[in-house]
Amino acid sequence: MVKILGVCGSPRNAATEYVLKQALESAASLEGVETDLITLRGKKINFCIHCDKCVRDNSSYCTLHHDDMDELYDRFYQADGYIIASPVYEMGVTGQLATFFNRFRGTYTILKENPSYFSKKVGGAIAVGGTRNGGQECTINCIMGFYHTQGITVVNGGLGCYGGAAVWSQDKKALGAQEDLFGIKNARLIGEKVATMAKIIKTSEFAQQTP
Ligand SMILES: Cc1cc2nc3c(=O)[nH]c(=O)nc-3n(C[C@H](O)[C@H](O)[C@H](O)COP(=O)(O)O)c2cc1C
């Protein structure tokens, strides 16, 4: 089974969660694919304070804070593919999503032993803004930055959906996002592409040979 994990960076059950669920539904339509969804809404996640305790403890988990991240690490590490979606906040990701990203400082302990550990995993991005051109591409780039720093293989949507899916909610929650037919089509495309590439990589000789 190929596992695709969706991460929703919105503090609300609104446009972004709706769009992400569309992408996950599209991913799950492929045979042999199962999906999981982490929503950061309502989660208590402390800031990384760069104490480097995880690094000193040689742990891929944060060993300083014990909060809602504790149960998210395994779900993240076990996934073969990621679809990360964020509302656009000041032309970037939400504070919730940035905080979630920062808490993966401990992946250094995995990567120093095996720099290509995450290259077998793929990631796609979705950004949902209240304005048509409100910074969706900047937000997608922030999500890409997370993938790049981990070495996760980045997936795009191809023609007309270069970096990821950019959706316009008109600040009208799920109903507004539903009206953006082009954005929804691209979000579903990202879901399908992430699942397809995760399947190809998982069944490849490369994946069988590397830890
Ligand atoms: C603090 C804050 C900052 C925002 N900044 C932007 C922005 O820079 N560009 C934009 O298009 N929309 C911006 N918005 C609007 C949201 O991106 C938009 O309503 C989005 O659909 C919210 O996602 P959600 O419905 O999943 O919560 C902002 C909203 C908030 C609360």
Side-chain angles (χ1 to χ4, degrees):
M1 237 346 164
V2 167
K3 289 184 191 159
I4 305 299
L5 174 67
V7 179
C8 180
S10 177
R12 316 189 294 181
N13 179 2
T16 311
E17 196 167 319
Y18 171 80
V19 175
L20 177 56
K21 283 178 176 167
Q22 288 287 313
L24 289 171
E25 186 187 280
S26 172
S29 69
L30 271 73
E31 205 188 316
V33 173
E34 65 181 20
T35 59
D36 183 14
L37 171 64
I38 290 175
T39 167
L40 302 183
R41 167 168 44 92
K43 297 267 189 316
K44 293 269 179 273
I45 303 179
N46 288 291
F47 296 129
C48 172
I49 58 164
H50 202 171
C51 63
D52 281 340
K53 188 172 177 317
C54 54
V55 175
R56 285 194 305 280
D57 291 344
N58 207 31
S59 172
S60 56
Y61 307 82
C62 173
T63 51
L64 176 74
H65 299 303
H66 290 289
D67 54 20
D68 289 341
M69 277 305 285
D70 286 351
E71 64 103 13
L72 303 184
Y73 284 113
D74 279 342
R75 285 162 73 187
F76 184 84
Y77 290 134
Q78 283 161 11
D80 303 299
Y82 308 100
I83 306 170
I84 300 184
S86 182
V88 180
Y89 277 14
E90 281 80 30
M91 300 181 80
V93 295
T94 59
Q96 286 84 351
L97 188 57
T99 304
F100 174 81
F101 287 163
N102 295 169
R103 290 289 296 279
F104 284 93
R105 175 80 174 156
T107 56
Y108 170 72
T109 63
I110 301 174
L111 293 168
K112 70 176 183 194
E113 302 294 334
N114 181 1
S116 59
Y117 177 83
F118 284 104
S119 61
K120 286 184 293 184
K121 300 174 187 284
V122 300
I126 298 173
V128 183
T131 308
R132 184 190 287 278
N133 299 303
Q136 282 87 339
E137 290 193 323
C138 308
T139 306
I140 286 169
N141 281 341
C142 295
I143 298 171
M144 291 294 163
F146 174 70
Y147 292 142
H148 290 315
T149 53
Q150 305 303 333
I152 291 167
T153 299
V154 164
V155 161
N156 54 52
L159 186 66
C161 180
Y162 303 137
V167 182
W168 177 32
S169 73
Q170 307 168 65
D171 275 336
K172 293 196 303 190
K173 300 185 175 173
L175 281 178
Q178 269 170 29
E179 288 175 17
D180 182 10
L181 299 180
F182 185 68
I184 297 291
K185 178 174 96 56
N186 284 341
R188 294 187 65 89
L189 183 62
I190 290 292
E192 190 185 330
K193 184 95 178 272
V194 166
T196 302
M197 295 313 297
K199 272 183 83 170
I200 289 172
I201 292 180
K202 197 161 188 180
T203 52
S204 70
E205 216 171 285
F206 159 72
Q208 315 298 328
Q209 284 167 0
T210 49

